[in-house]
Amino acid sequence: MSTGGTTTEVSDEVARRAEAQNLLTLGVEEEYLLVDAESPAAAPVVEDVFDHIPAELRDSVQHEYWRSQIEVAGPPGLDLHDLWRALGDLRHGLAEAAGKAGARLVAVGANPSPGPDIDVVDSPRYHRMVERFGDLSPGAGLNGMHVHVGIPDPETGVQILNHLRPWLPILQAATANSPFFQGRDTGYASWRSVMWERWPTVGPAPFLHDHAEYEQMIADLVATGAMLDDGMLYWYARLSARYPTVEVRIGDVCPTLDDTLLVAALIRGLVATVLTDVGDGRAPLNVPHHVLAGAHWRAAKDGLEGLAVDPETRQTRPAWHLMRQLFDRIRPELERHGDLEMVTVLLGRLRARGTGAARQRAVHAGGGDIADVVDWLADHTRAR
């Protein structure tokens, strides 16, 4: 639901290093659920949590749509280890603040447990959204992760969006972390993805000719009433309205820092790879919208534990085959950005452990109780 407001500016030092080394900056936003300290029910205590957030973290934290949600943004930079430390500090600091407010911080795509209705945050913008769109986001909140990668200019950014389209479903599959909703298994690895698509501007970005067409589409969508402003453009990848970045926003929030850093690095490696394609004049694969829609549905259904749609053949293949294909495609840029070793290790861990959805189901199978799942999520959200 975020408009991208928590993403902080790139520091002058990072900007100079990025330009000197021809590297792309990387920033991550994460949205979390607040649950009761003793039960798995969502807790509408975000105002109380804010009262306990350490002063040094507050500039990186903001409210989300529901009073049982909170959002953070790691400072954009170049080094994965720096991002790891920053997000770890934010997760740990918010978990401590939540504890003082009688709650727990949980990194999960959708609220897994039943509970009472939650109010939206008392914000004029959010009240306008409720008035305009009604109950399009049921439950206690849908929690995603958004990855920002620096780009040279908006015109190039539009061409990057075109090149990204075929690869976003497999990245979505890697983040799947919401199999449970209202106390039951939905049969999907990412139920957040299914509910999120209720909003009128959610979906793959269309194939765009230039930045002028991008701007015209935003104006058209505002004119139709499908969104209040450009902050409600919820395409799976878009140009940031505030910063010189491409923002990829297809994923559930990940349960662990391992998962978050892996996905962020893969996205930066992909953006850097297709940026070279744009510069060399290579045409993107123009996958039809209906094929992409099917590929994203399959990602939400299976995660990485089942099948994925190959955008070139339009046939299904084991999801891990496509993930390996992506890794091979972007390996040179992973190495150039200094990310190859960490990504190789983290990708191996993801293969061995499964997605967040698979891990949640394993916990549930062991105890048979949603409370056990929420306990596991809360423990792994703050772990470093």
Side-chain angles (χ1 to χ4, degrees):
M1 195 68 67
S2 167
T3 62
T6 54
T7 303
T8 53
E9 297 275 4
V10 174
S11 70
D12 291 341
E13 178 188 353
V14 169
R16 285 194 295 269
R17 287 175 53 209
E19 182 175 6
Q21 300 174 45
N22 192 26
L23 300 176
L24 303 185
T25 58
L26 178 64
V28 175
E29 301 169 2
E30 293 191 309
E31 300 161 352
Y32 310 115
L33 181 69
L34 297 168
V35 303
D36 185 78
E38 303 297 334
S39 79
V45 296
V46 68
E47 295 89 353
D48 295 336
V49 173
F50 262 87
D51 289 341
H52 297 289
I53 295 173
E56 66 271 16
L57 299 182
R58 289 193 179 185
D59 287 346
S60 298
V61 185
Q62 75 168 14
H63 293 87
E64 244 299 325
Y65 193 64
W66 299 101
R67 293 182 60 234
S68 52
Q69 291 179 285
I70 198 163
E71 180 181 7
V72 304
L78 297 174
D79 188 273
L80 283 185
H81 295 88
D82 292 340
L83 183 58
W84 182 293
R85 284 188 290 271
L87 286 174
D89 289 344
L90 284 164
R91 284 186 174 217
H92 186 77
L94 261 64
E96 291 289 309
K100 293 175 182 176
R104 291 176 289 170
L105 190 76
V106 175
V108 65
N111 182 24
S113 64
D117 291 340
I118 304 292
D119 293 330
V120 299
V121 169
D122 188 14
S123 153
R125 176 181 177 79
Y126 292 154
H127 289 309
R128 285 179 64 207
M129 290 170 68
V130 171
E131 182 181 357
R132 173 80 62 88
F133 300 102
D135 189 17
L136 288 185
S137 182
L142 306 178
N143 306 300
M145 69 173 292
H146 309 148
V147 178
H148 288 257
V149 181
I151 56 172
D153 57 78
E155 201 66 60
T156 302
V158 167
Q159 300 311 314
I160 289 171
L161 295 181
N162 288 338
H163 282 266
L164 290 179
R165 295 168 78 244
W167 294 105
L168 295 185
I170 195 63
L171 289 165
Q172 177 187 1
T175 71
N177 186 39
S178 51
F180 298 104
F181 186 70
Q182 293 294 329
R184 62 183 181 83
D185 193 322
T186 64
Y188 282 77
S190 174
W191 189 243
R192 181 203 64 89
S193 297
V194 177
M195 292 196 293
W196 184 227
E197 288 183 358
R198 300 177 182 212
W199 289 87
T201 60
V202 172
F207 196 91
L208 298 156
H209 291 94
D210 52 32
H211 188 240
E213 184 179 19
Y214 181 94
E215 291 288 293
Q216 184 60 56
M217 284 192 174
I218 290 176
D220 290 344
L221 288 166
V222 172
T224 65
M227 59 189 198
L228 299 179
D229 50 41
D230 56 7
M232 288 189 68
L233 185 69
Y234 297 144
W235 291 343
Y236 296 143
R238 69 182 186 184
L239 305 183
S240 171
R242 299 182 61 190
Y243 302 101
T245 66
V246 163
E247 181 184 3
V248 177
R249 40 190 300 120
I250 39 81
D252 290 358
V253 65
C254 293
T256 71
L257 284 173
D258 275 5
D259 303 309
T260 297
L261 268 291
L262 171 62
V263 172
L266 290 173
I267 289 172
R268 177 167 64 175
L270 178 59
V271 171
T273 299
V274 302
L275 179 58
T276 298
D277 292 342
V278 171
D280 290 346
R282 284 191 281 272
L285 180 65
N286 188 357
V287 183
H289 177 85
H290 69 279
V291 175
L292 281 183
H296 282 288
W297 173 83
R298 175 61 69 179
K301 184 70 172 63
D302 288 4
L304 288 177
E305 280 69 46
L307 298 175
V309 177
D310 186 319
E312 291 194 78
T313 66
R314 306 185 188 182
Q315 303 297 311
T316 56
R317 296 171 53 193
W320 272 102
H321 290 189
L322 276 181
M323 178 56 76
R324 181 69 202 195
Q325 184 177 332
L326 172 63
F327 177 80
D328 290 342
R329 172 91 167 83
I330 68 176
R331 182 182 181 122
E333 286 296 340
L334 292 175
E335 186 166 19
R336 194 173 71 84
H337 280 80
D339 299 344
L340 181 59
E341 181 179 0
M342 182 181 287
V343 167
T344 301
V345 171
L346 296 180
L347 199 60
R349 289 179 185 172
L350 183 63
R351 184 68 187 269
R353 299 171 180 173
T355 60
R359 281 172 266 170
Q360 286 188 52
R361 283 175 167 144
V363 171
H364 189 261
D369 195 326
I370 289 295
D372 295 329
V373 175
V374 174
D375 290 346
W376 180 88
L377 286 163
D379 288 345
H380 285 76
T381 297
R382 68 182 297 164
R384 298 198 235 191

